[in-house]
């Protein structure tokens, strides 16, 4: 539960910023720009993310199933779109800033490596500074995308960095995206696992279904409505205890039956081997890196290999024989 409180400005370092009911004006950008007379600042951020190469690359990045066959399995791109839809629905009902919410949702996973969390896990293990996709996502919009980053607003950058649970975004819109992310992936991953034959509808925990609903549509509707009901006109974003417990229990079920050790993860060891080999190669052969990565070597040396890897997707590695 997010309480109304004062949090620090630049992601925990500078002047204070008050969480309010809806963010209408931005604290600004890293580099000042002339304002647009047609779009709000957050609309501009959303548009920059949508038009970025990093966003398009999400089309062929793993959600759960590594390089799946067929058009109906989720990828990081379709996941981002589903998160944005859920988050905008909640933001509109709560009279929050929809453009800010959508920009955070669309940009929250830009820093994911190929092969999803398998790639993230191995990079976090072998790099001295560690690796987190949310930190890499911020690096993407700040430095790697375009000529010198996308120069997004403070609020969108904060929401991207702090979209993972355990961190506290500086805005309620950012908190909405945290919930929307979890709602989206639990439910669409169930859908994909059933499609792949890993799960059956009857396998899902009945105590959760009695609370949330027996179909994907019912579950998403219950979760969204519960957030709206428990957050309306309050300085926090929250769920009722029983619905939150059911959601978390369903998530735990997915970890036990899909995310760890299931058929969906049969190629994880191969994926980790490939990512580690590529990382070690790039760290030893910086001369082969593209210019957009080379120019940032001084800023984050340990992130050099990460930054090259994020710019690829599963399909490039699997089918274009990069190794």
């Amino acid at each position: 539960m997010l309480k109304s409180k004062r949090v620090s400005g630049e992601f925990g370092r500078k002047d204070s910023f008050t969480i309010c009911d809806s963010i209408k004006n931005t604290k600004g950008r890293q580099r000042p720009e002339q304002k647009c007379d047609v779009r709000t600042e957050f609309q501009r951020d959303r548009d920059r993310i949508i038009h970025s190469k990093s966003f398009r690359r999400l089309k062929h990045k793993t959600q759960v199933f590594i390089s799946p066959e067929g058009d109906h399995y989720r990828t990081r791109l379709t996941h981002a779109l589903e998160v944005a839809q859920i988050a905008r629905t909640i933001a509109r009902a709560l009279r929050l800033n929809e453009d800010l919410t959508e920009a955070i949702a669309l940009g929250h996973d830009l820093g994911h490596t190929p092969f999803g969390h398998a790639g993230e896990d191995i990079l976090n293990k072998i790099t001295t500074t560690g690796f987190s996709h949310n930190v890499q996502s911020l690096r993407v919009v700040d430095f790697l995308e375009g000529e010198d980053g996308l120069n997004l607003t403070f609020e969108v950058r904060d929401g991207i960095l702090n979209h993972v649970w355990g961190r506290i975004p500086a805005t309620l819109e950012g908190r909405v995206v945290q919930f929307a992310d979890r709602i989206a992936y639990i439910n669409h991953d169930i859908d994909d696992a059933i499609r792949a034959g890993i799960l059956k509808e009857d396998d899902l925990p009945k105590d959760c279904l009695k609370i949330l609903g027996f179909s994907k549509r019912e579950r998403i509707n219950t979760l969204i409505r519960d957030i709206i009901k428990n957050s309306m006109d309050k300085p926090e974003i929250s769920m009722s205890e029983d619905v939150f417990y059911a959601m978390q229990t369903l998530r735990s079920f997915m970890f036990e039956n899909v995310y760890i050790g299931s058929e969906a993860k049969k190629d994880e060891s191969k994926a980790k081997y490939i990512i580690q080999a590529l990382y070690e190669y790039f760290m030893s052969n910086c001369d082969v890196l593209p210019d957009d990565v080379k120019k940032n070597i001084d800023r984050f040396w340990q992130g050099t290999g990460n930054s090259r890897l994020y710019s690829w997707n599963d399909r490039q590695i699997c089918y274009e024989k990069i190794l």
Side-chain angles (χ1 to χ4, degrees):
M1 181 178 293
L2 178 65
K3 298 292 185 181
S4 181
K5 59 186 288 187
R6 296 188 72 81
V7 295
S8 50
E10 187 64 11
F11 313 135
R13 289 195 293 271
K14 295 183 182 175
D15 22 271
S16 62
F17 177 62
T18 303
I19 291 178
C20 60
D21 291 338
S22 178
I23 301 298
K24 296 180 180 178
N25 299 307
T26 177
K27 287 189 65 177
R29 303 179 185 274
Q30 291 178 301
R31 300 182 300 278
E33 292 183 8
Q34 183 176 352
K35 292 187 181 296
C36 177
D37 60 355
V38 175
R39 295 171 298 162
T40 68
E41 293 300 289
F42 301 132
Q43 282 180 294
R44 297 175 77 189
D45 284 2
R46 177 204 60 198
D47 295 348
R48 291 177 188 188
I49 290 169
I50 288 176
H51 288 284
S52 70
K53 291 183 293 184
S54 300
F55 184 72
R56 294 194 295 276
R57 277 194 291 265
L58 296 178
K59 177 182 179 182
H60 295 299
K61 287 190 178 182
T62 293
Q63 174 59 28
V64 171
F65 292 86
I66 294 177
S67 194
E69 296 182 4
D71 296 329
H72 298 149
Y73 290 97
R74 270 69 170 197
T75 64
R76 285 288 159 189
L77 180 60
T78 58
H79 167 68
L81 295 174
E82 290 186 37
V83 173
Q85 179 271 314
I86 292 170
R88 282 203 66 145
T89 299
I90 296 170
R92 177 174 293 189
L94 296 178
R95 300 187 296 277
L96 299 177
N97 192 303
E98 292 180 56
D99 296 327
L100 170 57
T101 305
E102 184 177 29
I104 296 170
L106 293 175
H108 79 282
D109 271 354
L110 291 178
H112 256 294
T113 64
F115 309 132
H117 287 288
E120 180 175 16
D121 291 344
I122 189 63
L123 284 178
N124 187 52
K125 180 179 179 180
I126 65 178
T127 58
T128 58
T129 56
F131 181 88
S132 298
H133 75 275
N134 57 310
V135 175
Q136 182 69 14
S137 294
L138 183 64
R139 182 179 290 149
V140 169
V141 299
D142 279 358
F143 302 117
L144 298 174
E145 186 64 52
E147 293 296 322
D148 194 19
L150 298 180
N151 196 29
L152 303 183
T153 58
F154 161 80
E155 293 77 12
V156 173
R157 294 170 59 237
D158 171 87
I160 289 173
L161 177 64
N162 294 311
H163 78 270
V164 294
W165 284 63
R167 303 185 70 121
I168 301 178
T171 65
L172 295 180
E173 287 83 354
R175 184 60 165 152
V176 165
V177 173
Q178 283 186 324
F179 275 98
D181 184 27
R182 185 155 293 191
I183 292 170
Y185 76 69
I186 290 172
N187 285 285
H188 64 50
D189 291 350
I190 289 173
D191 195 36
D192 283 351
I194 291 173
R195 177 174 291 107
I198 295 173
L199 291 179
K200 298 178 181 178
E201 289 279 0
D202 290 341
D203 295 331
L204 300 177
K206 298 297 187 293
D207 56 336
C208 296
L209 301 188
K210 289 177 182 178
I211 296 172
L212 301 178
F214 288 86
S215 68
K216 176 168 68 74
R217 177 180 180 179
E218 290 176 349
R219 289 190 293 272
I220 292 175
N221 187 58
T222 297
L223 290 161
I224 289 175
R225 285 180 174 273
D226 190 76
I227 291 174
I228 294 169
K229 178 181 178 181
N230 287 276
S231 307
M232 183 66 73
D233 299 321
K234 296 178 182 177
E236 62 195 26
I237 305 298
S238 62
M239 283 181 170
S240 62
E241 290 186 9
D242 59 335
V243 171
F244 182 76
Y245 175 79
M247 180 183 74
Q248 294 297 84
T249 302
L250 195 55
R251 178 175 180 267
S252 296
F253 169 85
M254 292 297 291
F255 269 94
E256 294 170 4
N257 294 275
V258 178
Y259 299 147
I260 299 175
S262 76
E263 182 70 13
K265 300 299 180 181
K266 64 179 181 179
D267 293 324
E268 268 202 355
S269 59
K270 297 177 186 177
K272 290 181 177 181
Y273 172 81
I274 292 172
I275 293 294
Q276 181 170 353
L278 286 171
Y279 176 83
E280 292 172 350
Y281 174 76
F282 288 129
M283 292 302 290
S284 301
N285 299 273
C286 290
D287 55 304
V288 304
L289 294 168
D291 293 338
D292 63 335
V293 175
K294 284 181 181 178
K295 71 180 181 181
N296 286 297
I297 285 180
D298 291 338
R299 278 177 172 156
F300 37 83
W301 163 249
Q302 286 295 332
T304 300
N306 302 342
S307 298
R308 181 50 174 152
L309 286 170
Y310 110 86
S311 68
W312 279 334
N313 57 48
D314 301 21
R315 175 169 292 187
Q316 286 176 293
I317 291 177
C318 292
Y319 300 116
E320 294 184 14
K321 299 181 180 179
I322 285 174
L323 286 177

